[in-house]
Amino acid sequence: MVLKKEKGSAERILVDERLQHIAFIMDGNGRWAQKRGMPRKYGHSVGAQTFRRIAGYCREIGIHYMTVYAFSTENWKRPPEEVRAIMGILEDYIQKFSEMTEKESIHIRFIGNLSVFSKDLQEKMENLDRETASNPFHLNIAINYGGREEIVHACKALICEGKTDIGEADIAAHLYTAGCPDPDLVVRTGGDTRTSNFLLWQSAYAEYHFTSVLWPDLSESDVDAAVAAFYSRHRRFGGV
Ligand code: FPP
């Protein structure tokens, strides 16, 4: 990590090649809204704005890959109104992204079991991924995503290909994140200290950072704190 002083502005953090991929478990939207006497869905819509702001900031500080947990395979158990609200935000985002300026620099990829979504939405997600593929900042949005489901999906794909001798690289190549480096840092907001079925395979050697800040409140300086915590750790990857 380096601290960079830019003309007329305060010193700020820039990451180096040790921190290429940051992942976020965006927790706390519901509580954030309820604290304000608002319906939980309001927290998700403010959370979506936070997502755009934080993605922009991560790009600015030199991160190349960012993954967010937007909707898990377990989130369907929520009240139908809340599920509809989150899906509405995602669809809106997919629709609007083509017109956004970020389109020039962000590669959007949706990870998860997308087969449950309408053909039309699947097509839009695929198009967005394809049209933005050459952009330098890679943003993975996990929807209908579960880490266990992803591993089962990879194994089934290998069986279908007739593979009998399976190694780690084969599994990694069939995950939804294939081609993307593993996360170096996973940040969970909202105060809980669980992985909640997020990037189970990919996070084998990730550093975790937990903060009680609720996702809609996450600020650029909270990201700096997570980055600083990452650089304070000694990553041994199983060595000494
Ligand atoms: C967890 O907070 C949050 C979710 C399950 C949904 C996250 C979705 C968004 C922020 C919208 C994302 C949009 C885009 C475009 C990526 P929670 O509801 O579990 O909060 P709680 O713990 O306070 O109940």
Side-chain angles (χ1 to χ4, degrees), residues 65 93-95 97-98 102-112 114 120-143 175-180:
Y65 297 85
Y93 185 83
I94 292 165
Q95 191 62 42
F97 188 78
S98 337
E102 292 104 311
K103 196 186 173 195
E104 308 308 316
S105 53
I106 301 182
H107 169 213
I108 297 265
R109 182 183 195 185
F110 294 88
I111 60 167
L114 307 181
D120 178 53
L121 196 59
Q122 286 185 51
E123 217 169 89
K124 283 185 178 143
M125 291 190 275
E126 276 164 29
N127 290 344
L128 206 47
D129 183 347
R130 201 182 43 252
E131 285 165 13
T132 59
S134 60
N135 291 339
F137 179 68
H138 305 271
L139 186 48
N140 300 320
I141 300 178
I143 52 172
L175 297 175
Y176 299 126
T177 53
C180 176

Side-chain angles (χ1 to χ4, degrees), residues 26-32 34 40 43-44 47-48 51 68-71 75 78 82 86 89-90 93 141 192 214-215:
M26 308 184 285
D27 199 12
N29 292 344
R31 278 168 287 160
W32 185 91
Q34 282 166 332
R40 294 174 55 83
H44 298 309
F51 153 74
V68 292
Y69 206 4
F71 196 85
N75 285 153
R78 293 184 176 217
E82 186 173 340
I86 299 175
I89 293 169
L90 285 164
Y93 185 83
I141 300 178
D192 284 325
L214 303 177
W215 175 258

Side-chain angles (χ1 to χ4, degrees), residues 22-221:
I22 188 165
F24 290 97
I25 301 178
M26 308 184 285
D27 199 12
N29 292 344
R31 278 168 287 160
W32 185 91
Q34 282 166 332
K35 269 171 59 181
R36 286 160 178 77
M38 298 294 281
R40 294 174 55 83
K41 63 183 180 185
Y42 177 63
H44 298 309
S45 73
V46 177
Q49 292 165 25
T50 302
F51 153 74
R52 278 187 68 182
R53 179 167 51 75
I54 294 298
Y57 185 65
C58 287
R59 185 162 55 100
E60 263 175 52
I61 64 172
I63 283 168
H64 295 300
Y65 297 85
M66 172 170 156
T67 301
V68 292
Y69 206 4
F71 196 85
S72 74
T73 43
E74 289 73 35
N75 285 153
W76 298 105
K77 294 179 203 148
R78 293 184 176 217
E81 194 199 341
E82 186 173 340
V83 171
R84 264 197 307 276
I86 299 175
M87 289 302 150
I89 293 169
L90 285 164
E91 284 186 37
D92 225 36
Y93 185 83
I94 292 165
Q95 191 62 42
K96 285 193 191 133
F97 188 78
S98 337
E99 299 140 31
M100 290 177 193
T101 49
E102 292 104 311
K103 196 186 173 195
E104 308 308 316
S105 53
I106 301 182
H107 169 213
I108 297 265
R109 182 183 195 185
F110 294 88
I111 60 167
N113 180 356
L114 307 181
S115 66
V116 299
F117 298 111
S118 69
K119 285 277 167 262
D120 178 53
L121 196 59
Q122 286 185 51
E123 217 169 89
K124 283 185 178 143
M125 291 190 275
E126 276 164 29
N127 290 344
L128 206 47
D129 183 347
R130 201 182 43 252
E131 285 165 13
T132 59
S134 60
N135 291 339
F137 179 68
H138 305 271
L139 186 48
N140 300 320
I141 300 178
I143 52 172
N144 193 31
Y145 175 88
R148 289 183 174 177
E149 191 278 338
E150 180 182 36
I151 294 167
V152 170
H153 172 269
C155 294
K156 284 184 175 165
L158 287 161
I159 293 168
C160 284
E161 286 171 18
K163 271 260 186 196
T164 48
D165 183 18
I166 295 173
E168 289 188 11
D170 298 306
I171 304 237
H174 289 77
L175 297 175
Y176 299 126
T177 53
C180 176
D182 287 342
D184 302 295
L185 173 62
V186 179
V187 177
R188 180 173 187 146
T189 60
D192 284 325
T193 50
R194 294 187 281 275
T195 64
S196 296
N197 204 13
F198 184 49
L199 301 178
L200 294 183
W201 178 280
Q202 299 88 333
S203 296
Y205 286 101
E207 297 293 329
Y208 280 85
H209 180 78
F210 299 101
T211 169
S212 56
V213 173
L214 303 177
W215 175 258
D217 284 333
L218 195 78
S219 66
E220 287 74 355
S221 58

